[in-house]
Amino acid sequence: MSAASSSSRVQPQAQPGPASSEDLAIFAACTGIEILSRGFDISDLRSIGFGALKYFILAKIIIFVFSEFFDWRRNKILKAFIDQPFAEVTGLRFVKGDPVPVRPVPKDDNDKGGDKVKRVVVCEFWATWCKPCEATAPHLSEVAKKFADKEVHIIGITNEANAVGKVEAFVRKMGDKMAYAVAIDTDGSAHRNLLDRSGSIGIPHAVVLSTEGTPVWSGHPMDPEFEVVVAREAERASPRRAAR
């Protein structure tokens, strides 16, 4: 899967329509700037309107340029990340669920029975202080339940290595709302090797690893494309084995 097809790609432009609340807010701010520049003289409303429009157009040009630049940068980062190998994640301390390896899959990676197990691993980065992360947990639990019969593993990964007790208490409080594996990134390798390389600037953020152990998707776990990609990759995953 190419970088261009991940959720972090440049989205299609919306169709022209009524002014958005964002545009109205920008224009209101521009009007305020124009009034301030005139020393609060509002006797010539027509002139104020034209002045505000001038600032508005300038602001929209600046926003467009910065948006295009960040989209270009994001896609460049994704191109170097999606479908590319990454260094093994070594310091996960699991506080819920069974440990799952997070690494590229060697060609001779067989389980103890001698048959190769094809796993899909979803690394979802979160933190106890992150309210959007907490709101995302039930959705991730539903996805985990949906693919419970396949070797599809969701791991919630936090870097709060100095707050193990806080993380454990949070996970206990969440209960079935967080019905998937949870781990602490004790050495920072998960964040360095996956989150940072994905170009993400915030959490929650999910990285889907294929059965070949390479990233195939990177983005917000509430993005509808997230579950589509997990479902596609799950078709290649082995059936889930019964616990021994």
Side-chain angles (χ1 to χ4, degrees):
M1 182 178 182
S2 67
S5 59
S6 76
S7 75
S8 299
R9 68 188 186 282
V10 180
Q11 298 295 330
Q13 295 295 317
Q15 294 298 316
S20 68
S21 58
E22 179 184 284
D23 285 344
L24 292 174
I26 294 172
F27 189 78
C30 292
T31 302
I33 293 171
E34 180 65 15
I35 292 173
L36 284 172
S37 70
R38 293 169 177 268
F40 294 96
D41 179 8
I42 58 173
S43 58
D44 188 354
L45 294 179
R46 181 185 178 90
S47 180
I48 289 174
F50 279 116
L53 182 61
K54 175 185 67 178
Y55 285 123
F56 176 79
I57 293 173
L58 179 61
K60 291 294 287 185
I61 291 173
I62 293 173
I63 291 170
F64 174 79
V65 170
F66 273 92
S67 176
E68 289 296 306
F69 170 75
F70 283 114
D71 282 339
W72 169 81
R73 180 179 178 274
R74 183 171 52 197
N75 286 331
K76 183 178 180 181
I77 291 172
L78 283 172
K79 187 176 181 180
F81 178 65
I82 299 297
D83 290 328
Q84 301 300 316
F86 63 95
E88 180 177 356
V89 173
T90 56
L92 294 184
R93 173 179 174 178
F94 282 79
V95 298
K96 182 173 184 177
D98 296 327
V100 178
V102 180
R103 56 185 171 84
V105 180
K107 293 181 179 179
D108 59 349
D109 186 27
N110 298 321
D111 69 354
K112 294 180 180 180
D115 56 324
K116 185 170 184 177
V117 178
K118 296 183 177 180
R119 298 182 182 88
V120 174
V121 179
V122 177
C123 295
E124 187 267 336
F125 295 89
W126 70 287
T128 57
W129 48 262
C130 172
K131 289 300 181 181
C133 299
E134 183 175 347
T136 299
H139 172 64
L140 290 169
S141 297
E142 286 298 319
V143 174
K145 181 179 179 181
K146 189 172 183 178
F147 301 104
D149 61 333
K150 303 296 289 287
E151 286 286 342
V152 175
H153 302 268
I154 296 178
I155 311 172
I157 302 175
T158 177
N159 63 355
E160 298 168 278
N162 295 324
V164 176
K166 184 178 181 181
V167 174
E168 291 175 335
F170 183 91
V171 172
R172 285 195 300 270
K173 181 193 77 172
M174 291 294 288
D176 290 341
K177 293 180 181 178
M178 209 171 194
Y180 48 88
V182 180
I184 299 173
D185 187 13
T186 61
D187 64 357
S189 60
H191 283 70
R192 286 194 309 273
N193 301 341
L194 293 174
L195 185 64
D196 293 348
R197 282 193 59 201
S198 74
S200 170
I201 57 174
I203 55 175
H205 190 90
V207 175
V208 180
L209 304 178
S210 71
T211 55
E212 286 75 36
T214 56
V216 291
W217 190 88
S218 172
H220 197 291
M222 295 300 289
D223 186 327
E225 191 177 7
F226 166 68
E227 191 170 342
V228 172
V229 172
V230 173
R232 184 196 67 209
E233 297 302 317
E235 294 178 358
R236 305 185 180 96
S238 302
R240 182 72 66 102
R241 297 173 299 176
R244 296 178 180 177

